[in-house]
Amino acid sequence: MLLNGRLKLAGSIPKAITIPLQKEIREKTLEAWVTLDNVDQRGGSVMTIESGNGAQFDGIVFGERQPGKWIAGSDFFNRTVDLDAPKETARPGELIHVAISYSADGTVSVYRNGAPYAKTYRKPGLKGALQSYKPQETRILFGLRHPGAGEYLKGEIEEARLYDRALTSEEVAASYRASYVNLSEQQI
């Protein structure tokens, strides 16, 4: 549901899913401006890129493995590590900028409000490698890690972006400083 120009994620019912993407995605950056209803919620995703059958996904996930912390969620935690990062301190309704970049070499960088949130990492082993998402089979989900997950994000998404490349730290900082773009419901 759109409310005051934002996608309202109220829990178990509202979620949004895009039509299939038209191009292959490998390197990528997921970026969003989001508010959380509370910092005690567990396991919901702001946005997720997933294969058509949902077996493979990467997403901006909140509080799944560590309460109050952001992670790069993935299928069976193949590209996920617990981050040495601070717990979220935003008040309800306060906009938070979160971005996760996935580089060709398999490194993952997580950012909060334009700055590194934790140390860039590469999960060891073959399962930690960068995933390829095929055209016509890939969708973006908002508010849900993957179908059947059961945990929905509670909050609002002001804006979300998918880049088909890994943004640098400088580009993430510039995007945060430039902020989001207000679109009317008709433009959406």
Side-chain angles (χ1 to χ4, degrees), residues 39-60:
V39 294
D40 298 322
Q41 58 184 298
R42 301 290 302 268
S45 178
V46 177
M47 72 182 290
T48 295
I49 183 170
E50 72 154 11
S51 61
N53 62 8
Q56 178 179 302
F57 72 90
D58 289 300
I60 301 173

Side-chain angles (χ1 to χ4, degrees), residues 11-167:
S12 63
I13 299 171
K15 62 181 184 277
I17 302 173
T18 68
I19 61 171
L21 301 181
Q22 303 302 305
K23 66 180 283 188
E24 181 179 25
I25 302 290
R26 283 191 47 74
E27 275 194 300
K28 63 195 156 292
T29 301
L30 306 173
E31 177 183 45
W33 284 261
V34 63
T35 68
L36 298 172
D37 286 356
N38 66 73
V39 294
D40 298 322
Q41 58 184 298
R42 301 290 302 268
S45 178
V46 177
M47 72 182 290
T48 295
I49 183 170
E50 72 154 11
S51 61
N53 62 8
Q56 178 179 302
F57 72 90
D58 289 300
I60 301 173
V61 179
F62 183 73
E64 182 178 15
R65 289 172 36 138
Q66 296 176 297
K69 292 187 177 185
W70 298 98
I71 60 168
S74 63
D75 46 284
F76 302 104
F77 307 114
N78 285 328
R79 290 162 304 286
T80 303
V81 301
D82 294 336
L83 302 175
D84 182 15
K87 286 188 173 185
E88 184 56 65
T89 59
R91 297 176 304 282
E94 182 180 338
L95 273 174
I96 308 158
H97 172 262
V98 185
I100 302 178
S101 291
Y102 300 82
S103 297
D105 65 359
T107 58
V108 179
S109 301
V110 182
Y111 302 90
R112 183 188 178 283
N113 287 350
Y117 178 65
K119 186 178 176 181
T120 294
Y121 69 89
R122 183 173 193 274
K123 189 162 183 181
L126 185 58
K127 290 188 176 185
L130 183 68
Q131 296 299 301
S132 179
Y133 293 91
K134 296 178 183 175
Q136 309 301 329
E137 297 178 12
T138 300
R139 306 176 300 173
I140 306 298
L141 309 176
F142 299 96
L144 179 65
R145 277 194 333 271
H146 61 87
E151 293 88 11
Y152 296 83
L153 191 77
K154 296 170 192 76
E156 297 176 347
I157 299 174
E158 176 68 40
E159 184 170 319
R161 299 174 185 166
L162 169 66
Y163 298 87
D164 61 356
R165 62 187 183 85
L167 296 184

